[in-house]
Amino acid sequence: MQRTPNGPSRPQNTTTNSEIPPHKSNVLARVKQDQVGTFWDMLAIRAVFTAICVAAGFHFRPFSVSREAGAATGFLFALAVILFEVRLRRASMRRLIGAATGSILGILGAYFTTLVLSHTSMPESTRSFLILAIFLVMAYIGLILGANKGDMLNLQALGGLFGSERSMKHSVKLLDTSVIIDGRVADIADAQFLDGTIIIPQFVLRELQLVADSADPLKRQRGRRGLEVLQRVQKMAHLEVQIAEDDFPSIAEVDLKLIELAKRYDAKIVTNDFNLNKVATLQGIEIMNVNQLANALKPVVLPGESMRVFILREGKEYNQGVAYLDDGTMVVVDSARKMINKTIDITVTSVHQTTAGKMIFGRYDERGEQVARVAMAGQGQGAQGQGESQPGPRAVESSGGGERPPRPLYPESNRS
């Protein structure tokens, strides 16, 4: 696994300190401080261990060699132990317990085998070689088999004695090509709903580059947008972006490669591909579906509520109009065909959940809209008329309670 080119965790950022928001600069400083402290602590410990091994080799001179050769032997021994320790830190707690248990059982088996060999009449040199060989073989086989079968251990049955390893380690997530091109994952990560370590497989980058270099203008635009999304995600201080060089040459499909890589790193897959979601779920891989998140964040609308929408086009049925909410939810409005390209108030009649998403059905009351407009216009004219008539006297006084209205000036037609 290989990190991004610039530095241990972050790509190069040319933004000045004054342009970085305060909360991001604080997080970035804290992350760098923790990483530097851990690095120097481990470097000091390993340097002390190497110095002790070199001094021991120089003083004791193993295999009756010179002091310089003994110091070199101690240095090589320390280097081998440090490399083994670096590899061992990546192993899970279950693998460590399985490897320790398997090696102990292998050593016990070798010990009982040597007890049998000690009562034989074979030469001492041959017996010593067989005892050493059996010890090494049994310890090695027990270590390897115990580590491979360690994933079958159930640490929860021990009552939380070893704690929750999943909560202590970093959360690892794999990005699919479809979710990178979609672009919404950058907004989700920017809102800090996505944290931990983000792994971008090399074969996903290769597929994204092929899309960006396509002859089709639409595909080329989508590929370039995906590369811009990755650059945006790399600049986020609370995320650790890494490039995985792991590949599976025997597997042709990118989706199956993602599943195998998720099994190797015990990671979650971030995608919006329906088929990948189903296949990975069947194989026990945790999926973070962006489409499911978007559906969960859609506003809850109940029948009888009022809402304001913009009628974009006409519907399939007679006298229908179609509008869309900001999250893409389709709103079908009855009696709104004449209101295309206008913003109106509607009343929700029903809400239907389909496989493609949520659909809202509403009704536009044109009479209620007219009454509301007339009332608003009347209020405006009344306020204006009242302001103009205050300086002068009123022309007509309202009639009293029992008086009759004035007679018309024209003669009545039923009189002779």
Side-chain angles (χ1 to χ4, degrees):
M1 191 168 182
Q2 183 179 354
R3 292 179 181 267
T4 47
N6 186 27
S9 59
R10 288 276 81 78
Q12 185 175 2
N13 191 359
T14 58
T15 307
T16 60
N17 295 332
S18 60
E19 297 177 355
I20 300 178
H23 66 281
K24 284 195 174 184
S25 61
N26 295 335
V27 173
L28 182 60
R30 185 168 62 252
V31 170
K32 287 184 177 180
Q33 183 179 1
D34 295 341
Q35 289 179 352
V36 170
T38 304
F39 172 76
W40 288 111
D41 291 342
M42 294 302 301
L43 182 62
I45 294 173
R46 290 167 181 170
V48 171
F49 176 76
T50 304
I52 293 175
C53 292
V54 171
F58 181 82
H59 178 73
F60 293 105
R61 293 189 302 167
F63 308 109
S64 300
V65 296
S66 62
R67 294 185 181 274
E68 292 76 9
T73 304
F75 177 78
L76 293 177
F77 174 77
L79 184 61
V81 172
I82 291 174
L83 293 177
F84 180 73
E85 175 260 335
V86 170
R87 295 294 301 175
L88 201 62
R89 290 177 62 186
R90 301 181 181 179
S92 62
M93 180 61 69
R94 291 182 297 180
R95 286 182 175 270
L96 291 176
I97 295 176
T101 305
S103 59
I104 292 173
L105 293 177
I107 292 173
L108 288 177
Y111 173 74
F112 290 123
T113 305
T114 55
L115 291 179
V116 176
L117 292 177
S118 62
H119 294 83
T120 60
S121 60
M122 64 179 58
E124 184 65 25
S125 59
T126 305
R127 185 186 306 127
S128 300
F129 174 77
L130 289 178
I131 290 175
L132 181 60
I134 292 174
F135 173 80
L136 294 177
V137 170
M138 296 292 287
Y140 175 77
I141 292 178
L143 180 69
I144 298 301
L145 292 181
N148 290 333
K149 302 299 181 182
D151 292 333
M152 305 174 70
L153 295 176
N154 184 14
L155 299 183
Q156 299 297 330
L158 300 178
L161 179 62
F162 294 96
S164 178
E165 183 186 7
R166 183 176 295 274
S167 61
M168 295 175 61
K169 67 181 182 180
H170 293 289
S171 178
V172 181
K173 302 173 183 65
L174 297 175
L175 294 187
D176 183 22
T177 309
S178 60
V179 79
I180 295 175
I181 294 177
D182 181 78
R184 290 178 293 178
V185 66
D187 298 329
I188 297 173
D190 194 15
Q192 298 193 4
F193 283 96
L194 196 65
D195 57 357
T197 302
I198 303 298
I199 295 180
I200 304 171
Q202 187 67 40
F203 51 84
V204 170
L205 285 178
R206 190 159 48 248
E207 184 182 22
L208 193 62
Q209 185 178 2
L210 291 177
V211 176
D213 295 338
S214 175
D216 188 359
L218 182 59
K219 290 184 178 180
R220 185 167 60 249
Q221 182 180 3
R222 294 177 61 191
R224 292 177 179 177
R225 182 179 63 180
L227 295 176
E228 293 175 358
V229 168
L230 288 182
Q231 292 179 356
R232 180 182 171 189
V233 171
Q234 283 182 336
K235 295 179 181 179
M236 296 181 183
H238 66 283
L239 292 178
E240 182 180 357
V241 181
Q242 298 180 357
I243 305 298
E245 298 290 345
D246 306 61
D247 201 354
F248 305 92
S250 60
I251 302 177
E253 293 80 3
V254 176
D255 292 348
L256 297 181
K257 290 184 178 182
L258 274 173
I259 293 175
E260 294 298 327
L261 191 62
K263 291 180 180 179
R264 175 174 295 183
Y265 289 106
D266 194 15
K268 301 178 182 179
I269 299 178
V270 184
T271 183
N272 58 1
D273 191 345
F274 180 79
N275 296 326
L276 177 60
N277 190 357
K278 291 297 183 182
V279 175
T281 304
L282 291 175
Q283 299 193 23
I285 304 298
E286 296 186 26
I287 296 294
M288 299 179 63
N289 197 323
V290 177
N291 291 333
Q292 292 181 355
L293 178 62
N295 292 330
L297 295 178
K298 288 183 178 180
V300 178
V301 182
L302 300 177
E305 293 184 355
S306 299
M307 59 188 308
R308 180 177 291 269
V309 295
F310 178 78
I311 304 300
L312 185 62
R313 59 181 178 86
E314 63 180 48
K316 295 182 179 180
E317 302 296 334
Y318 173 73
N319 204 17
Q320 277 186 350
V322 176
Y324 294 93
L325 300 182
D326 294 336
D327 56 5
T329 304
M330 179 184 291
V331 182
V332 181
V333 185
D334 293 332
S335 305
R337 185 175 182 180
K338 299 180 180 179
M339 307 302 293
I340 296 178
N341 296 329
K342 294 182 180 180
T343 302
I344 60 175
D345 294 325
I346 65 171
T347 302
V348 178
T349 57
S350 62
V351 180
H352 294 278
Q353 183 69 40
T354 63
T355 56
K358 184 184 298 182
M359 290 186 62
I360 300 175
F361 292 87
R363 183 180 65 255
Y364 170 62
D365 191 358
E366 186 176 359
R367 292 176 298 178
E369 187 82 11
Q370 292 178 355
V371 170
R373 290 179 181 178
V374 171
M376 293 178 62
Q379 291 178 0
Q381 291 179 359
Q384 183 179 3
Q386 184 178 1
E388 294 176 355
S389 60
Q390 281 181 357
R394 298 178 62 184
V396 179
E397 295 290 336
S398 61
S399 59
E403 296 182 359
R404 298 181 62 182
R407 297 175 63 86
L409 299 180
Y410 51 86
E412 296 182 1
S413 60
N414 56 357
R415 288 189 178 184
S416 56

